[in-house]
Structures are given as C-alpha cells and as structure tokens.
Amino acid sequence: MKTFDPQAMYSEWMSQLVNQDKWQEWMKPAATMNPMPAADMLKDLGAQIDQATMTRLQTEYMQEFGKLWQDFAISKIPDLNDRRFSAPDWHNHAMHSYSAASYLLNARFLMAMAESVQAPIKTKQKIGFAVQQMIDAMSPANFLVTNPEAQSKLIESKGESLAKGITQMLADMQKGRISQTDESAFEVGKNVATSAGTVVYENRLFQLIQYQPTTKTVHQRPLLMVPPCINKFYILDLQPENSVVRYAVDQGHTVFLVSWANPDESMAEVSWNDYIEDGAIQAIKVVQKISKQDKINTFGFCVGGTIVSTALSVLAARGEHPASSLTLLTTLLDFTQTGVLDVFVDEMQVKMREQTIGSRGILPGKDLASTFSSLRANDLVWNYVQSNYLKGEAPPPFDLLYWNADSTNLPGPMFCWYLRNTYLENKLKQPGALTVAGSKVDLGKIDAPCFVYGSREDHIVPWQAAYASTALLNPRHKNRNRFVLGASGHIAGVVNPPAKKKRSYWTNEQTGLDSESWLASATEHPGSWWPEWSAFLAEHGGKMVKIPTIPGNADFPAIEAAPGRYVKVRAD
C-alpha cells in the first residue's frame, strides 16, 4: 500500500480541479464517470468495496440523480441543505441550484463509497479523510465560474472585487498562507496578551512571566500555567474579558506562566528531554523559589498538559512531589484515541520525519498550521478562498484567528520523539515504558488532586481521550480526580468566560466509569465551567496571604514587562 501523503494528494487534486474536463466529469452522473480521483485513490491504498455494496450505492445514486434531473427539467429549485449554498444567488437560478445539488449528491456518493471500503480501521479513517478533503476542494463555491455570489459581486463592483481578490491572493502567496483576519489590527502586548506582569526568568527554551495581582490578598500557593509549545501562550490571554490568566489572577492567585521560545536553527538539536528538564521542571523550581512554597498548583493546556504531566512524573521518580494540584485542559496522556490527527501518523510518515529532522532540524510552524487547517478545511481554508479571493472581501479583525495565524516552529528531535512515543506507540500511558530526563515515567506516581477538562466537540483531543487521563492519574485514589466536560471545541470550549453566559458543561463525581457511562449519568449546567475550576484551585491554594511586594526576588529580578520578547518572535 502506498504511503498516505495528504499534501501530495492535495496538490494532485488541485491540479485536476483546474482542468475543465475534470470539472465536467464531476458534473456527470457517477455511473457514467470515467475513473475518478477518489476511485484511483482507493485503488492505490489497496482498498476494495464489495461488489454488491457498490451496485446498491450506484442504484441509489442513479435514482436520486434521475429525480434531480427531472426537477431541473421543470425548473424546480432543489433543497440545498448546506450553509455554503444558503445565499439567495444559489436559489435564484436553476443552473446554479443544479450545480450545487449535483455536487452535494456526488459528495454523498463518494463518502458512502469511502465508508463502505473493506480495509483496516486506520486505513479506512485515512481514506475517509482524504475523500472529504477532495470533496471540500471541489465545491462549486470555490470557483468563480460556478459561484453566483462571486459573479454578482464582480458585476456590481464593475470588476473591482476580482482585482482586489487577486491582489489579496498574491499577498497571501507571498506570506505562504491564507489570511483569516486583518492581522494589522492586532499587536502582541498592545491589544492581545495585555495582562500586566513581569518576566522574572528566562533561558533558551522559555521566559517565565509573573502576573501582577488584582486582589488585596492572594492564595499562599501560586499557580504555574504551561501552555502548548506548538502555539503562542496568549490563547490564554487574548482580551481582558476572555483571558484565562486574568480570571485566575482575579480569583486571588499569583499566576506564573511559561512563554515558550519560537525555535530557530540555534535550537535545532533540542529534545523532548530538554523541554521537560530545562522547560517545565525548571519553571516549577523557579516558581517554588520565588514563592517560597514547596507545593504549587500546576496547569497544562493541550501539549502543555502532556509536558507538565511528564515533568511531574519525572520529579516523582526522583522523590519530589511539588504539585498541590494538577489541572489538565484538552490534554492527551493516553493516545489511544487521537481523533482526525491519526490520519497523519503511521510508521512510514514518522520515519520520514525522523530521517529529515530527527537528529537536527526545525519543523516550520506553517507546516503545523497547514495540517490543523486541513482538519476543518471548509471553515479554515475554502471559506477564505471564497470571501478573500473570489469576492475580494477583506477579512475582518478577530483576535482568535490572529493568534491562530501566529504559528510556532518546533525543534525536529523534540517533535519526532513526541510523534513516535505518544501518537504512534502510545508509550506515555505505560508505567516505566519511557525514560525521560534520566527517569522512568509513571504517571500514576504523580501525587496530586487532578482537575481534567475535555471539550465535547473537540476534533484534536476527543473528549473521551481527555477523560482517559482519569484512569492514569491517582490510580489507587480515583476520588482525587475530577472531570468536567464543556461544550464546543478545542479552543472555544476552553476560552469560555462566565460573564458571557454561553454554552454549558457537564459534571459527574464518578470518574471510575467508562466515558459514555460517565456522560449518561452526568448533570448538565448552563454557562462556563470556569467557576468549577476556580473552586478546585481555591481548595488547593492554601490560606490567603499578603500580595508579593515585587515580582520575582533577589535571585530572580525583573527582566522586562510582560508579555516579553519571546512571544513576539514570529515563525514567518
């Protein structure tokens, strides 16, 4: 079976799409089509479909296509139940309605084919992802010649929309990525990442920020936040009204936060061991020394949670237990269920990475950004192709999308170790299977109450996978683990401040159940889960004491104001 290479396949599909003959093939009934890219791909991947199943799918398809053709013949507008075709322009002309309807019909047929292949589960998942990518790319909304909205805009603007769209497309080609927001509207430290604080420590891997208190007294034990190193930290500090950092400070916590460096060639040999020893463990020790507390509250978001959990396990193997509590937000410790990212991980793809950057090198941030965008291509790619290029509309300012575009590089050795030992071989959950920073890793040895959060619609860390952490932590004392499930996805579920009174969350004191049983007996609550987390932190924060008079101390004096230099280094 050939190696699954989404980028190569994506390029091939795009070259086919600009071919008018290929587009005409797409518009024909599937039974009369010549072999399509999807069929070729299925064959290349060694997948087969039972002939009886294929015959049934073709029969059902032809019946639906016949009805669609009859409706078109009498100018009956079909029902287009898809938000890409919700504008009136798609419904005001039979030809455009037929174009969209036939596309949707063909899309359903191709996905039914993908779901019917006889192949191992992982191969089937890759096939489904690849077919969905092709389907998304081939939408008539993505082409000027078949997009009536863009055509109307072109006429109304007397060609100005197309000229502007081409200008924006050329600018994006220069940048190497699609603009999702007006990036000129934001500046780190000016209107994002604005919480007041001071950098009190730095090494080549990170800066440590200590935030300024906003209360008269604070909890005795500080809170150390470890964000993911694959993104900038300020997803936790976007605007004052939706800042996780600001919320924690306002609840009376002395907050420290790791701001990871954006690696360049000088960090091309940095390993996972370095991120644990010189990153998370060093941050823990500095916070202990500044606060004069042996116990601190620890916090990790996404990969940051994997890093801080590994660090605490390494320290446990050394006989140290610095965590008063551990908070994990949308974090993978058990990599059995990795959602759609699983399609990018197999032995051949990991080996390829190891051969190119495994001993020395840098994984460009734009590569990671492209991968994550492909997971939601309609929302994060084609939506902007239509608005920015076909219609010539300038993307509006949006802080979250500005952060999303502010990508971060990764050291090759670190990334390859992480890819193989977690996503591919799932060794982190196995006690003693990994040696990190000279110590055997056993997550069950972390001696701290744990607050674990998952987002119900998360496509990067499925909530069931986040819940699986409760089986690994405190294995002999399950009552020390708390799991909370929030609505929405990987980011929106986390960044959900109470003041907005949006969404909902679920709680269940029993964490010894399987995930579906947990949810079945869970209680739903309106609004944000943040107050639940705040109560947990307060329980493990110690008594209230006077606020620190100055940030840092004599050994760790102020270096510069937050958000510091490191976060301002761009990957592009």
Side-chain angles (χ1 to χ4, degrees):
M1 189 175 76
K2 291 185 179 180
T3 306
F4 179 74
D5 186 344
Q7 293 299 327
M9 296 177 72
Y10 182 80
S11 298
E12 174 63 20
W13 295 330
M14 291 306 296
S15 69
Q16 292 174 349
L17 288 174
V18 299
N19 186 310
Q20 185 64 29
D21 292 337
K22 289 289 183 182
W23 180 256
Q24 290 171 352
E25 288 291 322
W26 173 255
M27 296 300 295
K28 294 177 182 177
T32 66
M33 286 183 183
N34 293 327
M36 298 180 298
D40 293 338
M41 180 190 61
L42 296 180
K43 186 177 179 180
D44 287 344
L45 289 172
Q48 296 180 337
I49 301 178
D50 176 71
Q51 186 56 47
T53 301
M54 190 65 187
T55 300
R56 175 180 59 80
L57 290 175
Q58 287 179 319
T59 300
E60 293 173 354
Y61 173 86
M62 289 307 298
Q63 289 173 349
E64 289 189 57
F65 192 89
K67 183 178 183 304
L68 177 61
W69 180 253
Q70 289 175 354
D71 289 344
F72 175 67
I74 61 174
S75 298
K76 181 180 178 182
I77 302 299
D79 181 23
L80 303 177
N81 188 24
D82 189 297
R83 62 187 177 88
R84 288 172 293 179
F85 311 117
S86 59
D89 286 309
W90 291 98
H91 302 262
N92 293 340
H93 195 287
M95 189 62 210
H96 290 305
S97 297
Y98 170 78
S99 170
S102 59
Y103 159 77
L104 292 172
L105 175 56
N106 284 324
R108 290 195 299 272
F109 173 71
L110 289 180
M111 283 310 300
M113 263 178 42
E115 291 164 4
S116 300
V117 298
Q118 298 169 324
I121 292 176
K122 190 160 184 174
T123 300
K124 193 170 180 176
Q125 184 181 21
K126 290 181 180 182
I127 291 169
F129 177 79
V131 171
Q132 187 63 63
Q133 291 286 300
M134 183 182 69
I135 288 170
D136 292 345
M138 296 182 80
S139 168
N142 298 338
F143 303 90
L144 181 60
V145 70
T146 50
N147 186 324
E149 296 178 77
Q151 293 169 11
S152 296
K153 191 97 172 178
L154 177 64
I155 295 169
E156 291 168 5
S157 67
K158 298 180 180 178
E160 185 179 343
S161 63
L162 181 59
K164 188 174 181 181
I166 292 173
T167 299
Q168 293 179 163
M169 181 179 68
L170 293 174
D172 282 354
M173 290 174 66
Q174 195 78 17
K175 288 193 296 186
R177 55 184 167 80
I178 296 174
S179 296
Q180 299 173 336
T181 184
D182 178 6
E183 296 178 15
S184 66
F186 299 99
E187 183 180 338
V188 174
K190 183 177 181 180
N191 52 6
V192 291
T194 58
S195 290
T198 305
V199 175
V200 293
Y201 174 83
E202 67 183 36
N203 62 21
R204 64 172 180 160
L205 287 182
F206 74 97
Q207 287 190 315
L208 184 68
I209 300 171
Q210 180 177 354
Y211 287 96
Q212 182 177 310
T214 59
T215 52
K216 292 182 179 180
T217 57
V218 293
H219 287 277
Q220 182 180 20
R221 295 170 182 157
L223 169 65
L224 170 62
M225 290 183 164
V226 182
C229 54
I230 62 174
N231 299 107
K232 300 292 182 68
F233 81 78
Y234 62 90
I235 187 58
L236 297 173
D237 189 34
L238 281 172
Q239 306 280 345
E241 62 271 15
N242 62 0
S243 169
V244 182
V245 168
R246 177 63 182 265
Y247 179 79
V249 170
D250 286 347
Q251 303 308 303
H253 297 281
T254 301
V255 176
F256 292 83
L257 182 142
V258 169
S259 172
W260 296 106
N262 198 340
D264 56 19
E265 282 300 319
S266 68
M267 293 177 61
E269 295 180 346
V270 169
S271 67
W272 180 262
N273 284 349
D274 295 325
Y275 270 78
I276 301 304
E277 186 73 76
D278 300 332
I281 289 178
Q282 180 64 8
I284 289 169
K285 292 187 177 299
V286 172
V287 171
Q288 286 177 309
K289 291 174 182 177
I290 291 176
S291 65
K292 298 180 181 179
Q293 296 292 313
D294 292 332
K295 294 282 190 178
I296 66 173
N297 289 303
T298 56
F299 167 111
F301 178 22
C302 189
V303 181
T306 311
I307 290 173
V308 76
S309 298
T310 303
L312 291 174
S313 176
V314 168
L315 288 172
R318 299 174 182 174
E320 300 178 45
H321 299 279
S324 176
S325 73
L326 172 61
T327 295
L328 298 177
L329 308 185
T330 60
T331 291
L332 286 171
L333 300 180
D334 181 341
F335 288 73
T336 302
Q337 295 176 277
T338 55
V340 291
L341 282 176
D342 196 45
V343 303
F344 296 102
V345 183
D346 59 31
E347 180 65 33
M348 295 188 75
Q349 293 186 78
V350 173
K351 273 189 176 179
M352 180 192 71
R353 290 292 189 184
E354 289 173 336
Q355 290 168 0
T356 54
I357 58 173
S359 59
R360 176 180 173 81
I362 293 292
L363 178 72
K366 64 181 181 181
D367 286 5
L368 283 172
S370 175
T371 296
F372 283 110
S373 290
S374 72
L375 303 180
R376 294 172 52 209
N378 277 332
D379 292 332
L380 297 178
V381 178
W382 301 115
N383 174 53
Y384 296 101
V385 167
Q386 295 159 27
S387 60
N388 297 9
Y389 308 156
L390 301 187
K391 300 177 189 176
E393 298 170 352
F398 187 14
D399 56 0
L400 180 58
L401 291 177
Y402 175 79
W403 166 84
N404 190 56
D406 193 2
S407 57
T408 306
N409 302 326
L410 287 178
M414 173 268 190
F415 174 71
C416 290
W417 188 99
Y418 173 64
L419 205 59
R420 174 169 291 281
N421 289 285
T422 59
Y423 274 92
L424 184 62
E425 298 181 358
N426 197 14
K427 287 183 178 179
L428 186 61
K429 74 170 187 175
Q430 305 170 35
L434 293 174
T435 299
V436 176
S439 300
K440 294 287 186 181
V441 174
D442 184 350
L443 297 172
K445 296 293 178 63
I446 298 173
D447 183 18
C450 299
F451 182 100
V452 181
Y453 168 85
S455 290
R456 193 167 183 176
E457 287 83 41
D458 195 338
H459 62 293
I460 296 173
V461 179
W463 78 265
Q464 296 90 341
Y467 179 81
S469 296
T470 61
L472 303 176
L473 301 165
N474 297 304
R476 290 176 294 277
H477 304 282
K478 299 289 187 183
N479 61 336
R480 299 185 82 193
N481 298 332
R482 181 104 192 274
F483 183 76
V484 172
L485 177 64
S488 197
H490 190 69
I491 299 299
V494 170
V495 184
N496 182 28
K500 293 189 176 182
K501 299 180 180 179
K502 294 176 65 177
R503 306 185 183 96
S504 60
Y505 66 95
W506 292 261
T507 61
N508 187 341
E509 297 300 324
Q510 302 181 69
T511 55
L513 307 171
D514 64 85
S515 58
E516 296 306 323
S517 298
W518 182 93
L519 181 59
S521 56
T523 302
E524 183 175 2
H525 311 271
S528 171
W529 57 271
W530 289 13
E532 295 278 343
W533 174 56
S534 177
F536 171 84
L537 278 183
E539 183 181 349
H540 303 290
K543 64 182 181 180
M544 303 302 291
V545 297
K546 293 181 180 179
I547 63 172
T549 54
I550 59 170
N553 61 20
D555 294 325
F556 300 100
I559 296 174
E560 60 182 332
R565 306 183 315 281
Y566 287 15
V567 73
K568 297 179 181 180
V569 177
R570 295 187 68 93
D572 54 3

